[in-house]
Amino acid sequence: MKKAIILGCPGSGKSTFARKLRDATGIPLYYLDMLWHKPDQTNVTREEFDQRLHEILIRDEWIIDGNYNRTIEERVRNCDTVFLFDLPVDVCVEGARSRVGTQREDLPWVEEELDPEFHQFILDFRRDYLPEIYETLEKYCNREIIIFKSRNDTEKFLTGLDYRA
């Protein structure tokens, strides 16, 4: 594994897993939310985001955390490993709620509440976004694809990881 992407519903544990994977492997970690969002809660332009992403994709090693559906296929095409978090929606909602009010390295501000629009996005993720992700992954079945169905699955994977520290 040299180039990995981490996909799945917000609140599923992607960023926590990404940090643990980075710490275990020494591979640089990039959060798409940090590329897209500015600290004042505005966004960079689409062109600037795409340029920043391209600069990462041409590197020798990386872990990229985040969905940003319009760029999933490009990232899958450039990676060797995909981690997909397909956890129950109630687990994801609780995960998103639990991080409200905490400083995180994957977002340039502290969420003060679970935004209603974001909450709805989580509720709709399995229906509206997950099928498209699976469809994209089917086109790139020569990649290593690891699907987590529970938080226990992620811990088992990390515990069994035999990699440089």
Side-chain angles (χ1 to χ4, degrees), residues 2-145:
K2 296 250 181 223
K3 297 179 178 185
I5 64 172
I6 302 170
L7 305 170
C9 187
S12 62
K14 295 184 311 293
S15 299
T16 300
F17 175 79
R19 285 188 290 279
K20 291 178 179 180
L21 187 63
R22 172 201 58 203
D23 294 348
T25 63
I27 297 173
L29 170 59
Y30 302 94
Y31 299 107
L32 293 183
D33 281 343
M34 293 298 284
L35 298 182
W36 177 243
H37 297 293
K38 296 179 183 180
D40 66 0
Q41 298 187 18
T42 62
N43 304 321
V44 300
T45 66
R46 187 175 177 153
E47 293 76 20
E48 186 176 345
F49 176 86
D50 291 349
Q51 178 59 36
R52 289 178 176 181
L53 178 58
H54 176 73
E55 289 169 4
I56 294 166
L57 293 176
I58 61 174
R59 296 181 181 174
D60 292 335
E61 289 186 320
W62 40 257
I63 298 167
I64 299 175
D65 168 40
N67 291 312
Y68 292 78
N69 286 17
R70 72 177 185 81
T71 69
I72 287 176
E73 186 159 358
E74 178 184 14
R75 287 180 285 130
V76 171
R77 192 172 42 249
N78 283 280
C79 78
D80 55 43
T81 307
V82 177
F83 296 98
L84 175 60
F85 283 65
D86 185 358
L87 277 64
V89 69
D90 59 321
V91 172
C92 298
V93 169
E94 182 52 39
R97 280 193 180 123
S98 72
R99 64 188 188 200
V100 169
T102 60
Q103 181 69 47
R104 301 165 26 206
E105 73 178 66
D106 58 306
L107 193 66
W109 67 79
V110 175
E111 293 171 300
E112 298 189 13
E113 65 176 342
L114 184 56
D115 176 73
E117 187 176 318
F118 187 58
H119 180 252
Q120 190 63 50
F121 179 81
I122 295 169
L123 295 176
D124 296 340
F125 187 86
R126 177 173 294 281
R127 180 193 69 218
D128 295 346
Y129 300 97
L130 200 55
E132 186 178 327
I133 292 172
Y134 273 109
E135 190 176 300
T136 300
L137 295 181
E138 284 178 25
K139 292 185 342 188
Y140 296 91
C141 58
N142 59 333
R143 307 298 189 266
E144 181 171 4
I145 299 171

